[in-house]
Amino acid sequence: SFIVVSAVNVQSQYIPAKAEQHVIDIKNNNSNSGCLIWNQESPVRNDLELWRNELHQYTNQMNKKTQTDFVPDLRRLFNDDYSNREEVCRKYADANSVVGLVDTMAENTLQKLESFSDPKTVELKQSLRGRNLSEAPNASSNLMEDFFNGSQQLSYLPTQGYMEPLVPPLRHPDMCQPGRTDFSDGQYMALMDYLIEDYGHICRNVLTKNMRTVFLDIGARYKFDGHKTDVQAAAIKTIEKYRHNGIHFDHIYAYEVQEVKTEAVYDAVPDHMQGPLHWVNIPASPEEDHKHNPWTMLLESYHPEDFIVVKLDIDTPSVEMPLFNQLLTNPELQKLVDVFYFEHHVKMDEMKKFWGDHSSINSKGTITESLEMFQSLRKAGVAAHYW
């Protein structure tokens, strides 16, 4: 069953991007197509196209950061009175902290806006849903102003800052572009560059000197290939993305049902994961309060003051969905989990090759139901992203 919760915490008031709310309101036109919103005329299609172009520029900038050395642990750089917080965040955590693209990107964005210069788009550029997101309380304006000022298609959560809008196809929009309809190799399906985490906002509003940082990986399918380090696993690349932005994880819990020798595990992970890694080589239990349920461990060991990131992807709905629903309905868990990544298998035409036919037990629910569930998590203060 699909459960949608109502958030009551006013401080966590979530502001969805216009495109996100539109596709939920129209229920994706009751379609199972993840690309309909990109290929059909609608009030938000031009905005989405501009956002997609801006996303490419943002990705290029973030890739520049990953090509540099890891950023120091931001918590260790703060003064005792946090008087240097702004300096630290601006230097290491902001998306434009690698010098070189900001002016060029602003010029390119303005050039692209000329093709989307109808009065409605110009009005939307000036104000989003009657409220300028850069004026939202405690908002870091860097992401919106420096990268997405043309489309204004970022959602905003006061606890975590700006993030990508929740829109089909629930992954990178490039898979829906003309000429890219052959999904046989999964090239575009596997791109993770559509994910937007507001590290500058997190640095300014979340991180503290004494907090613990945790990455919980439920379904740790690393490539155990002899003594080679796995540099392609999505979870490892995500951990390194956080590290490149100054967030170092003190603890990395990796749950995996496949039996693997401990030595092979530590051969597969990078050096910076050797100390923090807790390899939990047992099936994650979906039973509430079970000792092998990952939520039980979090509830018993951590506090809301800690920074906790969770990735859930085990391709077993009978385990994933109970865990997902527990997060959706448990306010105590929602206070613990800051960021949540989940590959939710739903009835989507473009994903049949990977998730099975719509009658398959691996694909349950509709695109709209999924969007509503993820949005309800965001409204509860959890930065939920499609994996």
Side-chain angles (χ1 to χ4, degrees):
S1 62
F2 292 88
I3 304 170
V4 177
V5 298
S6 297
V8 295
N9 186 348
V10 176
Q11 293 182 343
S12 297
Q13 184 179 2
Y14 174 62
I15 306 175
K18 180 178 182 290
E20 174 182 327
Q21 195 58 52
H22 173 77
V23 73
I24 290 178
D25 289 343
I26 66 170
K27 298 186 181 300
N28 198 42
N29 282 335
N30 297 312
S31 171
N32 287 323
S33 171
C35 292
L36 183 68
I37 192 69
W38 294 92
N39 300 324
Q40 185 179 61
E41 289 298 330
S42 76
V44 297
R45 184 180 177 187
N46 284 352
D47 301 318
L48 283 172
E49 265 309 313
L50 182 54
W51 173 74
R52 188 178 68 84
N53 290 330
E54 292 169 334
L55 180 64
H56 290 162
Q57 298 176 20
Y58 169 76
T59 298
N60 290 336
Q61 177 71 352
M62 294 304 289
N63 287 341
K64 282 181 172 288
K65 297 191 75 172
T66 62
Q67 294 168 9
T68 62
D69 293 335
F70 288 126
V71 168
D73 189 331
L74 300 178
R75 296 169 297 172
R76 308 292 178 256
L77 300 180
F78 293 146
N79 293 338
D80 289 341
D81 61 357
Y82 296 96
S83 59
N84 67 335
R85 182 190 286 272
E86 177 61 27
E87 177 185 352
V88 168
C89 297
R90 187 177 298 276
K91 181 176 181 179
Y92 294 110
D94 284 347
N96 59 11
S97 59
V98 175
V99 178
L101 277 186
V102 176
D103 292 339
T104 302
M105 290 178 62
E107 181 180 348
N108 290 341
T109 298
L110 289 173
Q111 291 175 353
K112 288 185 172 64
L113 274 174
E114 292 176 1
S115 61
F116 299 101
S117 57
D118 60 281
K120 186 173 182 179
T121 301
V122 172
E123 180 182 353
L124 288 173
K125 186 183 75 168
Q126 300 300 327
S127 178
L128 180 61
R129 294 171 307 284
R131 181 179 182 183
N132 191 324
L133 289 190
S134 65
E135 297 175 357
N138 300 317
S140 167
S141 63
N142 288 305
L143 281 184
M144 184 66 82
E145 293 184 357
D146 293 341
F147 296 92
F148 299 94
N149 196 41
S151 71
Q152 292 281 300
Q153 293 306 309
L154 289 185
S155 299
Y156 177 78
L157 181 62
T159 55
Q160 296 294 321
Y162 294 117
M163 57 197 69
E164 77 283 355
L166 296 171
V167 292
L170 319 184
R171 50 207 340 104
H172 203 292
D174 276 6
M175 68 178 279
C176 291
Q177 298 309 301
R180 298 181 179 180
T181 55
D182 180 8
F183 309 117
S184 59
D185 60 0
Q187 176 182 357
Y188 300 102
M189 184 204 74
L191 286 176
M192 305 290 286
D193 294 340
Y194 62 94
L195 297 173
I196 297 174
E197 299 91 353
D198 196 342
Y199 298 106
H201 183 96
I202 294 171
C203 178
R204 290 175 174 86
N205 299 276
V206 179
L207 293 185
T208 63
K209 290 177 63 66
N210 298 319
M211 74 183 336
R212 292 174 294 179
T213 53
V214 178
F215 190 95
L216 173 56
D217 187 358
I218 310 174
R221 297 185 177 178
Y222 309 145
K223 187 176 181 181
F224 306 108
D225 183 14
H227 296 282
K228 296 181 181 178
T229 301
D230 186 355
V231 296
Q232 295 301 321
I236 292 178
K237 292 173 73 172
T238 299
I239 289 169
E240 296 197 336
K241 181 167 67 169
Y242 276 86
R243 195 175 177 90
H244 277 291
N245 287 277
I247 299 177
H248 297 215
F249 291 106
D250 302 321
H251 300 281
I252 301 170
Y253 297 90
Y255 283 74
E256 175 54 46
V257 64
Q258 174 189 352
E259 292 188 15
V260 183
K261 291 184 178 179
T262 303
E263 181 181 0
V265 174
Y266 283 86
D267 283 342
V269 301
D271 289 346
H272 63 81
M273 287 180 59
Q274 300 286 323
L277 181 63
H278 306 265
W279 178 248
V280 188
N281 205 182
I282 55 176
S285 172
E287 182 181 342
E288 202 164 356
D289 298 325
H290 192 282
K291 64 181 180 181
H292 294 155
N293 183 317
W295 300 140
T296 302
M297 181 273 296
L298 284 186
L299 288 166
E300 291 179 349
S301 305
Y302 293 97
H303 307 288
E305 294 76 20
D306 299 318
F307 182 74
I308 298 176
V309 179
V310 178
K311 184 224 89 178
L312 174 60
D313 183 15
I314 52 181
D315 295 331
T316 307
S318 61
V319 178
E320 288 179 330
M321 290 313 299
L323 292 173
F324 186 25
N325 283 331
Q326 287 160 29
L327 179 59
L328 278 166
T329 57
N330 188 334
E332 296 306 311
L333 267 178
Q334 293 165 5
K335 292 177 184 177
L336 285 177
V337 177
D338 293 274
V339 185
F340 179 66
Y341 302 100
F342 177 39
E343 185 181 44
H344 189 196
H345 294 193
V346 297
K347 294 178 174 62
M348 189 189 302
D349 295 341
E350 293 82 3
M351 296 299 292
K352 284 183 179 179
K353 176 178 176 62
F354 306 97
W355 294 346
D357 191 80
H358 294 336
S359 60
S360 168
I361 61 172
N362 292 322
S363 298
K364 294 186 177 182
T366 67
I367 292 172
T368 299
E369 288 172 332
S370 182
L371 291 170
E372 290 174 343
M373 296 168 80
F374 273 69
Q375 191 183 81
S376 71
L377 265 185
R378 288 187 174 185
K379 288 180 177 179
V382 180
H385 304 268
Y386 285 102
W387 185 257

